[in-house]
């Protein structure tokens, strides 16, 4: 194809541009916020919250940008595996996994690194502007309208494209644009979860020398409630800092009060308590509200224009406490590569791309929403057979804390290295039963 246009230059858009650079003579990224990597606009209010890059997401990032891990660690990022990555359930540590690697850095740091590598691609260029609409000719999208940065209220201009990628995030205006052009709007599935989380930064010294990431969640033994152990996570990041995030639902959401934040840390697992006791808070506590998970069901539309795909949060945005967002974006980029590699015509409706991307999107949605339904204030929608799904999931979770083999199967799903259905295989269920009976 001659030209592809990506609307949005954050993580999902950058990875899509990297994939497209192998198939298009020119790739244009239209991005309204901080082309140097510091997003400041309304589309990125949560970028400075703690973000996780799961093991599969880390592997995919290295796949598309070979050597980027080495570059980022030279700049201060850390990579953890084995006992350096600690997962807790109901305050109890899971068995460590030596072959699970997680990259630990702030999201702005990661995005700057990915943006720098994307800028180095000879056929990729950035346009500073905000998307205003689609150019449609017949049954396909043939470009976009955008307002150049600094001239949003003065004039619009256009750029032609053989393929357009919507990577505008949760604030994507794609549905409205499709409606304006007379196309069916993809239905949206929603689950209201009423989550709040807060992030703070601490000075990192010699405490916890063998810890890179620690993550704690309530589980079945506590009824998924924070009665005995607050949910939270910490990560060793660049510039000798700890980034700590605390989360809570409904009336238990954290606030910006630093004294309350540190008091809650003292009710967390040992690594977070250690930081609360010995490390100095740097700056303010930043909060973010996440009201609902939602995904656009593109394959549920009766018609869809050719030359158009979506990626990242514009396709699906799920509960951030599970850390799936960056990894889903990377896997969707892989789906786009597979779609283009198959010889698909960019002008045709991208049904096969959406089918490929849905393999990952549906898995992430199932994993996060099934877990969210354990919260008493979350009222559905419930999947068919939810009581049995919940019961089996609780038993596997309990067994995973005690048994390394069950824990490996469980964390392979959490890290998106395996599909959730692998947990229903006979050998996993039988071993789960033996572990719990032996207890």
């Amino acid at each position: 194809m001659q030209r592809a246009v990506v609307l949005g230059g954050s993580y999902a858009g950058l990875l899509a541009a990297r994939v497209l650079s192998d198939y298009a003579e020119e790739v244009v990224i239209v991005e309204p916020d901080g082309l140097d990597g510091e997003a400041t606009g309304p589309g990125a209010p949560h970028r400075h919250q703690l973000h996780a890059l799961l093991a599969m997401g880390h592997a995919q990032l290295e796949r598309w940008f070979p050597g980027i891990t080495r570059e980022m660690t030279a700049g201060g990022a850390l990579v953890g595996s084995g006992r350096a990555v600690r997962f807790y359930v109901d305050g109890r540590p899971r068995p460590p996994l030596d072959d699970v690697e997680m990259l630990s850095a702030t999201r702005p740091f990661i995005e700057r690194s990915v943006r720098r590598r994307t800028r180095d691609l000879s056929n990729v260029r950035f346009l500073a502007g905000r998307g205003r609409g689609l150019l449609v000719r017949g049954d396909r999208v043939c470009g976009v309208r955008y307002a150049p940065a600094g001239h949003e209220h003065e004039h619009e201009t256009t750029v032609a494209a053989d393929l357009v990628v919507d990577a505008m995030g949760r604030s994507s205006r794609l549905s409205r644009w499709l409606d304006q052009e007379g196309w069916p709007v993809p239905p949206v599935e929603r689950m209201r979860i009423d989550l709040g989380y807060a992030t703070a930064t601490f000075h990192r010294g010699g405490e916890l020398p063998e810890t890179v990431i620690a993550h704690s969640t309530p589980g079945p033994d506590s009824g998924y409630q924070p009665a005995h152990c607050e949910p939270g996570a910490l990560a060793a990041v660049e510039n000798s800092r700890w980034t700590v995030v605390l989360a809570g639902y409904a009336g238990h959401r954290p606030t910006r009060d630093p004294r309350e934040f540190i008091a809650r840390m003292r009710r967390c697992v040992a690594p977070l308590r250690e930081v609360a006791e010995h490390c100095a808070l740097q700056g303010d506590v930043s909060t973010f509200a996440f009201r609902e998970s939602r995904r656009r069901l593109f394959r549920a539309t009766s018609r869809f224009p050719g030359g158009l795909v979506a990626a990242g949060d514009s396709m699906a945005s799920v509960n951030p406490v599970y850390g799936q967002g960056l990894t889903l974006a990377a896997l969707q980029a892989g789906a786009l590569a597979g779609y283009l590699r198959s010889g698909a015509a960019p002008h045709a409706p991208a049904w096969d791309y959406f089918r490929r991307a849905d393999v990952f999107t549906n898995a992430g949605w199932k994993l996060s929403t099934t877990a969210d339904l354990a919260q008493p204030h979350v009222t559905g929608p419930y999947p068919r057979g939810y009581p049995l799904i919940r019961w089996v999931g609780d038993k596997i979770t309990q067994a995973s804390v005690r048994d390394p083999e069950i824990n490996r199967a469980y964390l392979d799903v959490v890290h998106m290295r395996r599909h959730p259905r692998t947990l229903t295989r006979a050998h996993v269920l039988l071993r789960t039963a033996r572990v719990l009976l032996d207890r």
Side-chain angles (χ1 to χ4, degrees):
M1 74 184 90
Q2 183 175 349
R3 180 187 293 136
V5 170
V6 179
L7 293 169
S10 64
Y11 195 77
L14 294 170
L15 284 171
R18 166 61 189 89
V19 168
L20 289 165
S21 70
D22 289 342
Y23 298 92
E25 295 178 22
E26 181 185 30
V27 181
V28 177
I29 302 174
V30 180
E31 165 58 41
D33 292 328
L35 293 179
D36 292 327
E38 291 295 341
T40 57
H46 66 298
R47 271 201 177 97
H48 291 278
Q49 300 288 337
L50 175 61
H51 284 72
L53 189 60
L54 302 177
M56 177 55 81
H58 180 206
Q60 290 294 309
L61 180 61
E62 187 67 27
R63 169 192 177 189
W64 294 113
F65 297 100
I68 195 169
T69 301
R70 183 176 62 254
E71 294 172 11
M72 287 193 285
T73 53
L78 290 90
V79 174
S81 63
R83 295 186 181 277
V85 178
R86 307 186 190 184
F87 281 84
Y88 298 80
V89 178
D90 284 324
R92 301 179 61 185
R94 292 181 174 279
L97 296 180
D98 291 334
D99 65 337
V100 171
E101 282 194 346
M102 292 188 69
L103 177 71
S104 186
T106 63
R107 176 164 175 170
F109 180 93
I110 295 172
E111 283 196 356
R112 281 195 298 271
S113 301
V114 174
R115 187 182 299 264
R116 187 163 51 246
R117 290 289 296 266
T118 305
R119 280 185 177 278
D120 290 343
L121 298 170
S122 61
N123 59 339
V124 175
R125 65 184 176 99
F126 287 76
L127 285 178
R130 186 177 299 277
R132 286 287 184 81
L134 302 172
L135 298 177
V136 180
R137 181 185 303 128
D139 60 356
R140 77 174 185 90
V141 172
C142 59
V144 300
R145 295 184 289 110
Y146 75 98
H151 302 278
E152 287 87 349
H153 305 294
E154 298 175 19
H155 68 278
E156 292 181 354
T157 187
T158 63
V159 57
D162 298 296
L163 182 66
V164 172
V165 178
D166 169 23
M168 294 182 287
R170 281 177 67 91
S171 59
S172 170
R173 299 172 295 283
L174 181 62
S175 292
R176 185 171 65 192
W177 294 350
L178 288 170
D179 185 57
Q180 290 171 349
E181 297 294 336
W183 287 89
V185 174
V188 178
E189 185 173 0
R190 305 174 187 269
M191 177 176 285
R192 185 172 179 85
I193 60 174
D194 199 16
L195 169 75
Y197 54 101
T199 296
T201 299
F202 294 80
H203 173 74
R204 176 164 55 88
E207 68 285 332
L208 301 176
E210 297 180 354
T211 299
V212 173
I213 292 171
H215 182 275
S216 175
T217 59
D221 290 347
S222 64
Y224 297 93
Q225 299 304 302
H228 304 295
C229 186
E230 291 278 348
L234 67 78
V237 299
E238 70 277 6
N239 298 324
S240 299
R241 296 175 294 166
W242 293 110
T243 297
V244 178
V245 63
L246 302 177
Y249 294 92
H252 195 65
R253 296 190 300 268
T255 71
R256 292 187 175 90
D257 184 344
R259 290 171 299 181
E260 179 203 322
F261 190 92
I262 292 174
R264 289 176 72 146
M265 286 178 65
R266 291 187 173 120
R267 299 195 298 271
C268 289
V269 293
L272 280 82
R273 295 198 305 267
E274 184 82 7
V275 171
E277 292 294 337
H278 298 104
C279 301
L281 177 66
Q282 298 179 336
D284 298 326
V285 176
S286 174
T287 59
F288 184 74
F290 188 92
R291 302 300 183 190
E292 64 178 16
S293 297
R294 59 177 179 245
R295 61 173 173 170
R296 290 183 172 88
L297 305 174
F298 288 94
R299 292 200 295 161
T301 58
S302 58
R303 296 183 302 122
F304 196 75
L308 179 64
V309 299
D313 283 355
S314 63
M315 175 174 282
S317 177
V318 296
N319 187 335
V321 301
Y322 308 117
Q324 297 171 318
L326 299 182
T327 300
L328 277 176
L331 290 168
Q332 290 161 359
L336 179 60
Y339 168 69
L340 295 173
R341 191 167 53 244
S342 72
H347 297 167
W351 298 119
D352 187 53
Y353 162 73
F354 289 116
R355 178 188 62 79
R356 292 169 184 261
D358 276 352
V359 172
F360 310 112
T361 303
N362 293 346
W365 178 267
K366 179 179 180 180
L367 192 66
S368 66
T369 56
T370 300
D372 288 336
L373 287 169
Q375 297 297 321
H377 71 283
V378 178
T379 58
Y382 290 89
R384 182 180 300 175
Y386 172 72
L388 178 60
I389 294 171
R390 166 78 181 275
W391 185 83
V392 172
D394 287 352
K395 298 307 178 186
I396 293 173
T397 300
Q398 290 171 329
S400 70
V401 179
R402 301 174 175 88
D403 183 77
E405 184 174 327
I406 299 298
N407 187 51
R408 175 174 297 281
Y410 186 95
L411 287 182
D412 275 348
V413 171
V414 169
H415 282 283
M416 305 197 76
R417 303 201 299 183
R418 298 285 186 272
H419 194 277
R421 63 173 170 263
T422 60
L423 293 178
T424 64
R425 291 177 177 170
H427 75 278
V428 175
L429 298 178
L430 288 172
R431 188 173 183 90
T432 294
R434 285 199 299 268
V435 168
L436 296 180
L437 288 172
D438 288 345
R439 180 183 60 176

